[in-house]
Amino acid sequence: MIRTILHYPDKRLRERGKKVEAVTPEIRALIDDMAETMYAAPGVGLAATQIGEAIQLFVIDIADSDEPSDLRVFINPEIVESQGEIVWQEGCLSFPGIQEDIDRAAKVRVRALDRDGKPFELEAEGLLAVAIQHEYDHLQGLLMIDHMGPLKKRLTHRKMLKREEQAST
Ligand code: GNR
Ligand code: NI
């Protein structure tokens, strides 16, 4: 089932996700919904907080549209190492129409559980590393706007208020 993606400044985007205690059939159903919602958007990632589920879970698929899908599931993720710096032009499904350069670590090592509840560790760079940091932020209630300087932040805030105002009329 495709879920509704919350848009900034929805307060639920500021909630911190609770740890997933066990990978139950309900969690697996939620993962399926998140993947479906991400592919429909389309987006390269989606965090549970973006659909109003305040738990530590995100999905990522950075495969190109002409490649087979490559869904990655991260439950209770921890970024255990970050290296270097990179600037990436990011978008966010919770900020439709906004694209801004954001500073990130160039490389990350992440530890998480997969959809079977099995622990794994992954070293990522490029878009995958950026997406992992972006989704990890969502689980802490952090958003791309929090990484912007004061001017961009103000402009983005205003744009979003205007957009949401129009969307609700
Ligand atoms: O679809 C998305 N694209 C994207 C591009 C650059 C950096 C991060 C992202 S994540 C975003 C989907 C999203 O909002 N995930 O939370
Ligand atoms: Ni996002």
Side-chain angles (χ1 to χ4, degrees):
M1 186 180 79
I2 293 179
R3 305 287 199 99
T4 304
I5 298 174
L6 304 177
H7 291 169
Y8 178 89
D10 194 303
K11 284 199 174 67
R12 289 168 286 178
L13 289 169
R14 292 305 191 180
E15 283 174 32
R16 258 187 91 100
K18 286 207 186 80
K19 257 198 157 181
V20 174
E21 296 296 338
V23 184
T24 58
E26 287 74 24
I27 294 290
R28 288 211 183 87
L30 178 59
I31 291 168
D32 292 343
D33 283 359
M34 286 174 60
E36 198 181 342
T37 305
M38 173 182 72
Y39 290 128
V44 301
L46 188 72
T49 33
Q50 289 180 281
I51 57 165
E53 302 279 353
I55 61 169
Q56 296 277 320
L57 161 64
F58 62 75
V59 295
I60 289 180
D61 190 337
I62 58 158
D64 277 331
S65 52
D66 59 352
E67 290 172 26
S69 58
D70 181 21
L71 183 70
R72 297 167 192 264
V73 176
F74 299 78
I75 299 169
N76 300 339
E78 282 176 78
I79 294 179
V80 294
E81 215 182 301
S82 305
Q83 262 180 52
E85 283 172 45
I86 195 171
V87 178
W88 203 278
Q89 192 180 49
E90 297 191 18
C92 180
L93 295 172
S94 297
F95 290 80
I98 306 287
Q99 286 212 318
E100 287 294 347
D101 285 349
I102 306 288
D103 295 334
R104 297 288 186 184
K107 241 183 176 183
V108 294
R109 177 176 284 279
V110 63
R111 199 176 284 159
L113 305 178
D114 66 16
R115 70 171 287 141
D116 300 315
K118 208 176 127 230
F120 68 96
E121 222 177 90
L122 173 75
E123 194 168 86
E125 54 188 13
L127 175 59
L128 183 57
V130 169
I132 287 169
Q133 293 168 80
H134 178 112
E135 305 310 338
Y136 183 84
D137 271 2
H138 274 301
L139 302 188
Q140 328 302 320
L142 273 173
L143 300 169
M144 63 185 280
I145 196 169
D146 304 321
H147 291 277
M148 296 177 192
L151 286 169
K152 273 191 194 173
K153 185 178 266 178
R154 199 173 164 72
L155 200 67
T156 301
H157 178 75
R158 288 216 197 127
K159 269 194 202 163
M160 285 304 297
L161 289 190
K162 216 173 205 168
R163 234 198 107 95
E164 294 307 296
E165 201 174 279
Q166 281 167 350
S168 66
T169 54

